[in-house]
Amino acid sequence: DAGVIQSPRHEVTEMGQEVTLRCKPISGHNSLFWYRQTMMRGLELLIYFNNNVPIDDSGMPEDRFSAKMPNASFSTLKIQPSEPRDSAVYFCASSEQGPGEKLFFGSGTQLSVL
Amino acid sequence: RKEVEQDPGPFNVPEGATVAFNCTYSNSASQSFFWYRQDCRKEPKLLMSVYSSGNEDGRFTAQLNRASQYISLLIRDSKLSDSATYLCVVDANQAGTALIFGKGTTLSVSS
């Protein structure tokens, strides 16, 4: 299996621009998670889906952030408009069943908002 | 109190040393515990689960102390390749809530 696939690996954009991050979970996994990692705050859960349905989005910072999972093999995390404080590494992860299980992470997207 | 707390380190040890990390968690009802390893500029990867009776995987030993709400990771005979950040991970034990990560403890093993 190819593992969790994220794109792009790096994204540099200017403040105010829209950013879309993409994720393909491992085939057969029922749960998908979006995490954000910074030096100050570590790994923070933004949102997670189970069977394509958003279960917990309490970690989404504000209305500028939105996430979708239109089918079992694809998810997006969108930031509109982006701000410099959004600069971080964004990881997507998937697990076979639910949230308390082993997570498989993608390689992450390094986002820099100038 | 933060949900999952770790000493950030860094722990600097020579090859062959034994090193231990502790992690405390706030939710006494948590049921799932893990140690993940994260190399520089890479994604976290599961190192080992932590079971109530303690468990060992080669040079790595994980322990759980429910009464004191802490988890430990012991690394024996450290190798250069063990240099990484070790993340303590706990479930929040609320229905539908995902795993919570500590900020990590950085280990540097030198020759």
Side-chain angles (χ1 to χ4, degrees):
Chain A
D1 198 322
V4 177
I5 300 173
Q6 290 186 245
S7 64
R9 287 298 308 275
H10 304 275
E11 177 79 30
V12 180
T13 190
E14 293 186 345
M15 182 174 62
Q17 296 298 306
E18 177 178 296
V19 175
T20 299
L21 311 182
R22 298 173 177 80
C23 176
K24 175 179 167 55
I26 292 173
S27 177
H29 281 193
N30 293 332
S31 293
L32 181 142
F33 307 80
W34 284 100
Y35 282 88
R36 177 173 69 177
Q37 187 174 37
T38 61
M39 288 291 293
M40 288 293 293
R41 302 173 70 89
L43 262 171
E44 300 174 285
L45 176 69
L46 300 177
I47 185 172
Y48 92 87
F49 297 84
N50 186 256
N51 293 322
N52 312 338
V53 176
I55 302 299
D56 181 2
D57 65 354
S58 58
M60 295 287 263
E62 48 200 87
D63 291 346
R64 298 185 297 107
F65 285 69
S66 63
K68 294 182 180 180
M69 192 166 186
N71 57 62
S73 59
F74 184 65
S75 177
T76 59
L77 177 68
K78 185 175 295 185
I79 308 172
Q80 167 63 18
S82 58
E83 297 182 1
R85 60 190 168 123
D86 301 331
S87 299
V89 180
Y90 290 80
F91 286 105
C92 175
S94 68
S95 69
E96 287 188 20
Q97 298 293 335
E101 298 194 352
K102 175 182 177 180
L103 295 178
F104 294 81
F105 283 83
S107 299
T109 296
Q110 174 75 59
L111 174 64
S112 297
V113 183
L114 307 177
Chain B
R1 182 180 178 181
K2 294 181 182 177
E3 292 177 292
V4 180
E5 288 197 70
Q6 296 182 249
D7 181 344
F11 285 63
N12 299 304
V13 302
E15 274 187 290
T18 296
V19 61
F21 310 135
N22 286 333
C23 163
T24 58
Y25 60 95
S26 60
N27 190 335
S28 60
S30 291
Q31 297 294 322
S32 301
F33 309 91
F34 307 90
W35 284 101
Y36 278 68
R37 170 189 168 134
Q38 186 173 24
D39 293 301
C40 187
R41 300 183 184 279
K42 299 286 189 180
E43 71 274 20
K45 292 183 179 179
L46 179 68
L47 177 66
M48 59 195 302
S49 302
V50 185
Y51 302 120
S52 297
S53 55
N55 48 299
E56 191 173 300
D57 182 2
R59 298 180 295 107
F60 298 84
T61 301
Q63 297 275 354
L64 168 63
N65 184 318
R66 287 190 183 274
S68 301
Q69 294 179 217
Y70 79 80
I71 308 156
S72 64
L73 177 68
L74 181 77
I75 306 175
R76 292 182 300 278
D77 188 23
S78 299
K79 311 292 185 188
L80 294 175
S81 58
D82 294 334
S83 298
T85 296
Y86 292 83
L87 305 169
C88 174
V89 186
V90 178
D91 77 278
N93 197 41
Q94 297 174 24
T97 304
L99 297 175
I100 300 170
F101 284 73
K103 290 187 178 180
T105 297
T106 299
L107 172 66
S108 178
V109 182
S110 57
S111 58

